[in-house]
Amino acid sequence: MLVSVLLVSGCAGGDEPEGEPTLGTILVVTSGSGITLPLDSYRETPTQLATVDSARDILVRDCMAGFGFDWPTFRHEPDPDLGRRYGIIDRTEVSQYGYRVPPELQGGTNAPAPGLNETAASRAVLYGQGQAAGKPVPEGGCAAEADRQLGYQVKVLKDGYREVRDFVGELDQEGSAQHYADSRVAEANARWSECMKQAGYEYRTWRDANNDERFSQGAVAGPEELKVATADVDCKTRTNLPGVSLAVETAYQNRLIEKNAEALADVKRRLDDRVRHATELVSGGH
């Protein structure tokens, strides 16, 4: 949940060709659920992605049928929003699960339908090797062909695997790295770290606590993990580290969107076409 306006912060204005961007409003972030960033509008929502994945299966199935293979489809459900972009935030959740993901958030259902019987011959058609049924297999196989029909930019590698470019993901990673290096996030992490020290724990950043190997052992969170996780969330609340992080990452993403406006306009067009085509395929009862 994003609640109340805290403050407006930033560096000097101007064109800001380099350096740290000016921040907009910094919100108080009290829950990881519902956090959105500017680049989110250039990729599928979880529901749309489940539809696209289902449509891809339909396209693969139809392509495989053209080569004499009865290929099953999969059942796809939207993955839940973990709300963990800035680590754990929900105190009620961590008091029971620590750093673990609650069972109800551990992913949607992507189970194969009965009948999947993969063989060397079917893999050759699926991933694009030679000919089958007296005709050439599409470059990269039926898997790559399905991606192309959905408007993805596909590169077929020498070993037969395909690489689907995720331009938005590349920008997301760039913006994420920039926001972690930003002085305002560093300052917020320093305040969080001092808060944790006062609680008896030594971590430089929230990611160090989040990635503590002790908390990946065992099936459930132990007492120490629960205490550390609760202190982590309390310190995030006191310093509003998630709110600062969100404001800073938003600013970097907006800068990247402005710099890549033309390419992202094409991404958005492809996205809209993909979702529309996928919806038609799935709703058509194929």
Side-chain angles (χ1 to χ4, degrees), residues 202-272:
E202 294 279 350
Y203 294 104
R204 190 174 65 87
T205 73
W206 69 262
R207 288 186 294 170
D208 295 328
N210 189 79
N211 298 331
D212 192 324
E213 292 183 357
R214 295 178 300 162
F215 305 148
S216 62
Q217 300 172 3
V220 296
E224 179 67 6
E225 178 180 345
L226 294 176
K227 288 190 290 185
V228 173
T230 299
D232 182 347
V233 170
D234 287 345
C235 287
K236 283 194 178 92
T237 299
R238 292 173 189 171
T239 61
N240 195 31
L241 174 55
V244 174
S245 298
L246 176 60
V248 172
E249 191 166 16
T250 294
Y252 280 107
Q253 285 199 5
N254 280 332
R255 176 183 282 180
L256 289 168
I257 289 171
E258 183 177 355
K259 287 182 177 180
N260 296 275
E262 186 175 346
L264 285 171
D266 181 61
V267 168
K268 188 65 167 66
R269 178 186 61 77
R270 288 174 178 268
L271 171 63
D272 292 342

Side-chain angles (χ1 to χ4, degrees), residues 58 197 253:
I58 291 170
K197 184 181 295 185
Q253 285 199 5

Side-chain angles (χ1 to χ4, degrees), residues 3-20:
V3 296
S4 82
V5 175
L6 183 64
L7 55 91
V8 176
S9 174
C11 304
D15 294 335
E16 300 176 349
E18 298 293 342
E20 297 182 345

Side-chain angles (χ1 to χ4, degrees), residues 128-160:
Q129 299 170 11
Q131 293 193 350
K135 56 183 177 180
V137 174
E139 183 184 12
C142 287
E145 181 63 18
D147 285 333
R148 281 190 288 267
Q149 289 188 39
L150 288 169
Y152 287 108
Q153 295 175 299
V154 182
K155 179 181 180 181
V156 179
L157 307 179
K158 290 182 179 179
D159 54 11

Side-chain angles (χ1 to χ4, degrees), residues 28 38 49 72 79 87 95 100 136 146 149 270 277:
V28 176
L49 185 57
D79 285 328
S95 66
R100 318 299 172 103
Q149 289 188 39
R270 288 174 178 268
H277 183 33

